[in-house]
Amino acid sequence: EADIYQTPRYLVIGTGKKITLECSQTMGHDKMYWYQQDPGMELHLIHYSYGVNSTEKGDLSSESTVSRIRTEHFPLTLESARPSHTSQYLCASSDSGTTIFEETQYFGPGTRLLVL
Amino acid sequence: GDSVTQMEGPVTLSEEAFLTINCTYTATGYPSLFWYVQYPGEGLQLLLKATKADDKGSNKGFEATYRKETTSFHLEKGSVQVSDSAVYFCALSAVANQFYFGTGTSLTVIP
């Protein structure tokens, strides 16, 4: 079973507020990811990280930012929340295996965000 | 580019029915293929995977075979249970750090 945690699980917040979604993993994985999952269930990669001090933008443009100061921690921040940010946010990490062909992503339980 | 196409849902089956969820892929290299399951209110859980052609991944009665000739990785289960109701995602990874997910197929199993 994967040890990857996200808090909060649910968040309701007003427009204009700053929020940080937390993600931590205890597996020692170098690679971590943030996905946005829309109501139609499709996953969109918004950020990823190869390791400490590495962050990259994903396929879907996002107004959020991320940081990776510690291997186990990959928080996502929205400086000013808007209703269009309402979604489910999934954090994942991956092991490298012995080759890239064995790399597998493990997911946290998700944060469901509602911006009023 | 790399992509995954999976069967659209929703799928509704009676308990003990046979399940197939189709998944085909496009990849420039030799991808690893995955099936993930998402139960209501939760994140995705790895269900099974296969890393090379003709490999069969299996777990909890589910199985899928990596077919290079048809670029497919269809998910099957011989007898579904109510507890299998969830959303199923097919995914591939052909390049390090790059995972591509299908749009998900919702399965409801009725008693």
Side-chain angles (χ1 to χ4, degrees), chain A residues 9-10 31 33 35 37 40-43 48 50 88 90 94 100-110 112, chain B residues 30 32 34 36 38 41-44 46 49 51 87 89 94-106:
Chain A
R9 291 293 311 278
Y10 304 93
K31 300 169 189 173
Y33 310 79
Y35 291 88
Q37 185 174 29
M41 302 179 297
E42 193 164 354
L43 292 163
Y48 60 98
Y50 297 123
Q88 168 142 274
L90 295 174
S94 67
I100 64 165
F101 302 109
E102 296 178 8
E103 189 170 339
T104 300
Q105 283 197 340
Y106 298 94
F107 284 80
R112 197 171 290 277
Chain B
Y30 298 94
S32 294
F34 307 83
Y36 284 84
Q38 185 177 32
E42 298 184 13
L44 276 67
L46 177 67
K49 70 177 186 180
T51 57
V87 179
F89 290 89
V95 176
N97 311 315
Q98 298 294 323
F99 285 79
Y100 297 90
F101 289 84
T103 52
T105 301
S106 175

Side-chain angles (χ1 to χ4, degrees), chain B residues 56-76:
Chain B
K56 179 186 281 189
S58 61
N59 186 24
K60 299 180 182 179
F62 292 90
E63 57 183 37
T65 302
Y66 187 161
R67 302 277 188 210
K68 190 165 178 284
E69 63 276 14
T70 54
T71 61
S72 65
F73 193 55
H74 304 321
L75 181 68
E76 296 182 336

Side-chain angles (χ1 to χ4, degrees), chain B residues 5-8 20-24 35 73-75 90 105:
Chain B
T5 302
Q6 67 179 97
M7 176 175 144
E8 289 200 16
T20 300
I21 301 178
N22 290 339
C23 172
T24 57
W35 276 101
F73 193 55
H74 304 321
L75 181 68
C90 186
T105 301

